[in-house]
Amino acid sequence: MVLRVSKDEAEAAEPAVVEESGDPEGVRWPLPDDPIAADPTGVGMPMLGELLIESQLIGSNQLEEALLQQSASGKRLGELLVELGAIDDFDLARVLATRLDLPLADLRQSTPDDDAIALVPESMARASVAIPVRRTDEVLLVAMAFPQDDAAVQQMRGSAGMTIAPMIAPPSDIRRAIDRSYRALAGVSRHVDAFLAAEAITARTVTESDAGIDAPVVQVVNLIITQGVRDRASDIHIEPQDARVRVRFRIDGALHDVLALPANMGASVISRIKVLAGMDIVERRKPQDGQIGMEVDGRPLDIRVSTTATIWGEKGVMRLLDKNRSLFRLGDLGMPDETHDRFSKLIRAPFGMVICSGPTGSGKTTTLYAALTEINNSESNIMTVEDPVEYVLPSINQIQIQDQAGVTFAGGLKGILRQDPDIILVGEMRDAETARIGIQSALTGHLVLTSLHGTDAAGALERFLDLGIEPFLVASSVVGVVGQRLVRRICRYCSVTFEPPIEEIEFYRRMGGPEKKEFWHGEGCNFCLRTGYEDRIGVYELLLVSEGMRGLISRKARHEEIQEMAVAQGMRTLRDSGIQLVADDVTTISEILRNIYVI
């Protein structure tokens, strides 16, 4: 394995670069107690703040603000500058490497060696924000966020029994590398073997009595969930097949195979999940739903479980909801400026209904909560009815649907109307009764935000009519519809220029894309699981219900007519918004083809 060290840093820190065949001669040890702090003598190495200003990465006013906060919080200066958004952690690590005369480790392309990883326990690596990268006969190279932490270095030295040669890497890069290198699923094979050994003696199904914490099936399920969280999976699919049980993670909207279990293990794995979710483990024919609350790597997790019978046995899907995830602001969703401005005005209307439309997993709930965050204030009574409650907001009154207790969307919405609400969020319009009550609420002076499954903004209006709602009621109550999709972003760590297939280029030009000399994609790195994509961004279209639009809705006009009028009124379609993201090098043509249906 070759460690990637930037050319400038290698030249600036020549003695500190560790060559493949040599010892780390010239590495300065011990390091200064706190290289973030000022040099009290005024001589020697310059202050970190001075280097950042000299590099034109921050301004003097940003440094002064960070120093003021440092005196109150006691945090490191660099850490505060990253939190304030004045600098990103990679630039900070680069400047710090120059200051300490240490090499800068590129964990984005270089993969730590397994034999080096084995020398330091995962718990120690996470606590120290450090990861072993490579070993020689007597030296262990370690990428560290805080190489001045002498206690952490001593701990790793004791664990590895070797001299520690520190390098520098951004904390976020190190945490990602830890998640990728210390694979929870690496130890799953021994638990599978233990299960098969027990299976050979006596066939059994996991129940409350034998699901001890050390049982093989219990360990396998825990490892699958843990790895799913570390890989940023939104859903975990456990699928029985003819000769195996396939485990897949949905990451950034795409499914990836991660594990294959023996076919005879499937029933026990599903039974264990059903035990955790409080579901009936005896009933295997009917679909069931449940919920699991647990903690993974110190993060509270809410898991929604769904099972259904297939020809090979029960299939289970676990949706992972991180309770600590932060809410998006409306401006962070990826809406074009014009769409953002129009939508911001729309959600500040005193009454009416605003609909978010799109297929499952298109980010409708995220958009609705971003809107709530935008308009939330102490003067308004905001109430929601949802299934499930995905984001918990302390200042908003939220109702969880409970079918077994008779709390449905329609019933919850009726209850809300007796609570003097100003703004109402209905998680989903699933039936005619809920839709009718929601429309009546919008017509009687309430702002109603809701979601609806549909192909696009115009299709959402047709879905309302399909539920049996009178056209004049839809025309009178709905003030705007947002159609949306999610597409994957090009990975910022491994983006490179490339030549798309001729079919994709022709599609781009046919859809009206502006002239481009270069197209970009991700070539794949450690941080994007070699997919070339990291995270997602929304693609939006906003249909405003004008007087002319109300006329079309009232006479049940065709989808094409509604779409044409919306475009004439200034709506940028999903297709046009997606093509613009390609033009801006945010995503790829293939991703637009995969996610946005274009005729």
Side-chain angles (χ1 to χ4, degrees):
M1 184 203 75
V2 178
L3 278 176
R4 295 175 180 263
V5 180
S6 66
K7 181 180 178 182
D8 292 342
E9 295 299 335
E11 293 173 352
E14 184 73 30
V17 177
V18 181
E19 299 294 335
E20 188 74 35
S21 58
D23 292 333
E25 296 179 359
V27 173
R28 297 195 296 171
W29 191 260
L31 294 170
D33 290 336
D34 185 6
I36 302 297
D39 181 359
T41 64
V43 296
M45 292 189 296
M47 291 175 56
L48 175 67
E50 292 176 358
L51 286 175
L52 291 173
I53 292 176
E54 289 174 5
S55 302
Q56 297 183 343
L57 293 172
I58 65 171
S60 57
N61 58 333
Q62 292 172 309
L63 177 60
E64 291 173 4
E65 173 66 20
L67 288 172
L68 285 174
Q69 294 200 23
Q70 183 188 34
S71 62
S73 65
K75 293 183 179 180
R76 292 181 172 89
L77 177 61
E79 184 180 358
L80 280 170
L81 287 168
V82 172
E83 289 180 4
L84 292 171
I87 186 175
D88 66 44
D89 54 1
F90 187 81
D91 284 335
L92 174 64
R94 181 165 51 84
V95 171
L96 189 58
T98 299
R99 184 174 191 272
L100 295 177
D101 199 17
L102 291 176
L104 182 66
D106 184 0
L107 297 174
R108 301 168 183 182
Q109 295 294 340
S110 300
T111 303
D113 291 344
D114 291 339
D115 58 345
I117 292 292
L119 295 174
V120 176
E122 178 183 351
S123 57
M124 184 180 297
R126 290 188 183 278
S128 305
V129 196
I131 185 168
V133 176
R134 189 172 46 132
R135 61 169 296 181
T136 61
D137 292 337
E138 299 179 355
V139 177
L140 180 65
L141 276 73
V142 180
M144 306 183 68
F146 311 111
Q148 74 278 14
D149 188 345
D150 186 61
V153 173
Q154 295 296 341
Q155 277 188 329
M156 284 184 284
R157 179 181 295 173
S159 173
M162 305 175 68
T163 300
I164 303 299
M167 299 181 296
I168 292 179
S172 60
D173 287 13
I174 292 175
R175 293 187 179 100
R176 284 172 176 264
I178 290 173
D179 287 344
R180 294 289 298 147
S181 300
Y182 291 94
R183 300 289 293 177
L185 293 179
V188 77
S189 58
R190 61 186 177 92
H191 298 297
V192 172
D193 292 341
F195 173 85
L196 294 177
E199 185 82 1
I201 300 173
T202 176
R204 60 180 182 170
T205 300
V206 175
T207 63
E208 291 279 9
S209 59
D210 66 356
I213 192 171
D214 296 324
V217 170
V218 173
Q219 290 297 315
V220 168
V221 171
N222 289 345
L223 292 175
I224 289 173
I225 295 174
T226 298
Q227 193 61 59
V229 172
R230 293 179 181 178
D231 285 350
R232 301 183 298 109
S234 61
D235 302 87
I236 298 174
H237 292 243
I238 300 175
E239 305 166 326
Q241 298 179 332
D242 184 17
R244 63 170 182 165
V245 175
R246 179 172 64 171
V247 179
R248 295 192 289 174
F249 292 167
R250 186 177 295 280
I251 303 171
D252 292 336
L255 283 168
H256 304 271
D257 287 0
V258 294
L259 182 66
L261 298 172
N264 58 348
M265 199 172 185
S268 296
V269 169
I270 294 296
S271 293
R272 171 56 183 168
I273 293 171
K274 291 167 82 172
V275 167
L276 289 172
M279 299 158 67
D280 185 354
I281 65 171
V282 177
E283 179 56 69
R284 297 179 179 274
R285 296 167 297 178
K286 296 180 180 179
Q288 295 188 60
D289 296 303
Q291 181 177 351
I292 303 172
M294 63 188 307
E295 190 172 282
V296 176
D297 291 340
R299 296 155 61 182
L301 201 66
D302 187 17
I303 305 175
R304 305 293 168 146
V305 180
S306 173
T307 62
T308 191
T310 71
I311 59 172
W312 300 115
E314 278 190 292
K315 176 185 187 299
V317 176
M318 293 182 284
R319 169 152 290 187
L320 310 181
L321 302 174
D322 187 350
K323 291 184 177 181
N324 282 345
R325 61 179 175 171
S326 57
L327 283 170
F328 283 92
R329 302 290 301 181
L330 196 58
D332 298 331
L333 298 180
M335 287 185 180
D337 291 340
E338 183 180 356
T339 303
H340 174 268
D341 293 341
R342 297 170 78 183
F343 185 65
S344 294
K345 294 176 182 177
L346 196 65
I347 60 177
R348 288 174 170 81
F351 57 86
M353 179 178 289
V354 179
I355 303 171
C356 284
S357 172
T360 300
S362 59
K364 299 185 296 295
T365 301
T366 300
T367 300
L368 290 173
Y369 267 95
L372 279 188
T373 303
E374 190 88 358
I375 60 180
N376 183 24
N377 60 70
S378 60
E379 298 176 355
S380 299
N381 177 22
I382 302 177
M383 300 195 69
T384 77
V385 53
E386 307 165 73
D387 184 25
V389 175
E390 296 189 18
Y391 296 92
V392 177
L393 296 178
S395 58
I396 291 177
N397 306 290
Q398 297 171 276
I399 298 174
Q400 169 71 55
I401 293 300
Q402 299 178 19
D403 290 327
Q404 295 178 344
V407 181
T408 63
F409 273 107
L413 188 49
K414 287 179 181 178
I416 285 176
L417 291 175
R418 293 190 287 269
Q419 293 289 313
D420 185 32
D422 297 297
I423 301 169
I424 302 170
L425 185 149
V426 183
E428 183 182 344
M429 291 293 178
R430 293 183 178 176
D431 52 65
E433 184 181 7
T434 306
R436 194 172 296 277
I437 298 171
I439 284 177
Q440 291 172 355
S441 303
L443 291 173
T444 54
H446 304 92
L447 177 63
V448 179
L449 308 179
T450 189
S451 70
L452 193 67
H453 285 87
T455 55
D456 55 18
L461 297 173
E462 293 178 324
R463 286 278 294 119
F464 253 128
L465 300 178
D466 290 342
L467 290 174
I469 307 300
E470 291 81 355
F472 73 90
L473 289 177
V474 177
S476 302
S477 60
V478 178
V479 295
V481 185
V482 176
Q484 65 182 88
R485 295 288 193 281
L486 290 176
V487 297
R488 292 181 292 178
R489 292 176 180 265
I490 298 171
C491 177
R492 56 197 169 109
Y493 300 115
C494 61
S495 60
V496 295
T497 57
F498 84 119
E499 185 66 28
I502 187 64
E503 297 85 1
E504 292 186 7
I505 294 178
E506 289 178 354
F507 167 80
Y508 175 81
R509 291 171 178 166
R510 189 170 66 252
M511 293 300 106
E515 188 64 31
K516 277 178 68 67
K517 294 182 178 179
E518 292 181 335
F519 290 87
W520 292 74
H521 77 157
E523 62 179 352
C525 67
N526 292 338
F527 291 172
C528 64
L529 303 177
R530 301 292 169 184
T531 64
Y533 298 99
E534 184 198 35
D535 289 332
R536 290 185 288 176
I537 187 172
V539 183
Y540 297 92
E541 64 180 15
L542 176 59
L543 182 155
L544 299 179
V545 181
S546 62
E547 285 300 325
M549 187 68 70
R550 291 191 180 97
L552 291 182
I553 297 170
S554 296
R555 64 178 177 86
K556 300 183 69 171
R558 293 181 298 111
H559 180 280
E560 292 77 11
E561 293 181 76
I562 295 175
Q563 183 86 351
E564 287 174 5
M565 178 171 284
V567 171
Q569 293 175 349
M571 182 182 82
R572 173 184 279 188
T573 65
L574 289 172
R575 180 195 68 188
D576 294 339
S577 297
I579 291 297
Q580 187 60 48
L581 289 178
V582 176
D584 294 338
D585 300 322
V586 176
T587 191
T588 61
I589 301 172
S590 61
E591 188 67 6
I592 298 302
L593 286 167
R594 187 178 74 90
N595 286 281
I596 300 176
Y597 180 71
V598 181
I599 298 177

